[in-house]
Amino acid sequence: MTYVIAEPCVDVKDKSCIEECPVDCIYEGERMLYIQPDECVDCGACEPVCPVEAIFYEDDVPEEWNDFTGANAEFFDDLGSPGGAAKLGLIPQDAPVVAALPADINKE
């Protein structure tokens, strides 16, 4: 895995990162976005455009969000590597760690 989307994205899904991704490897789940680890080319274009600073290189994920490294991979357990997010659109599921979070955790 290269880049990871963490908790600040939950219930926000700004999608600026999707627009910057040159390989279309950022997929939309029900409550957050996920980076397909086998499709990501490690370019880093997504990281600086995220308005909630939810994207981290895998070695730089803050300790409190370490579960999201696994969650990004788990999201693709059944989906695999579809070869591009645009053709799939919203995928009505989330990784278990995300689905278990209380609703609207980022909204005040």
Side-chain angles (χ1 to χ4, degrees):
M1 184 174 293
T2 53
Y3 281 85
V4 172
I5 299 177
E7 188 172 310
C9 183
V10 176
D11 295 328
V12 174
K13 297 195 306 184
D14 172 78
K15 301 183 188 174
S16 296
C17 56
I18 291 174
E19 296 170 16
E20 291 298 317
C21 181
V23 294
D24 193 28
C25 71
I26 302 173
Y27 291 73
E28 182 180 3
E30 193 69 38
R31 296 182 63 194
M32 72 172 270
L33 305 173
Y34 299 86
I35 296 174
Q36 210 300 341
D38 296 328
E39 296 174 7
C40 179
V41 294
D42 196 23
C43 70
C46 58
E47 185 179 18
V49 298
C50 179
V52 293
E53 299 179 4
I55 303 173
F56 302 90
Y57 186 71
E58 66 179 327
D59 294 337
D60 298 331
V61 175
E63 189 174 326
E64 70 265 27
W65 297 325
N66 278 342
D67 289 347
F68 285 83
T69 300
N72 273 257
E74 286 175 7
F75 181 77
F76 298 98
D77 281 350
D78 293 331
L79 194 58
S81 181
K87 64 183 174 184
L88 296 183
L90 174 69
I91 300 163
Q93 68 181 40
D94 278 301
V97 70
V98 174
L101 290 171
D104 298 322
I105 63 166
N106 289 311
K107 309 242 170 141
E108 296 180 2

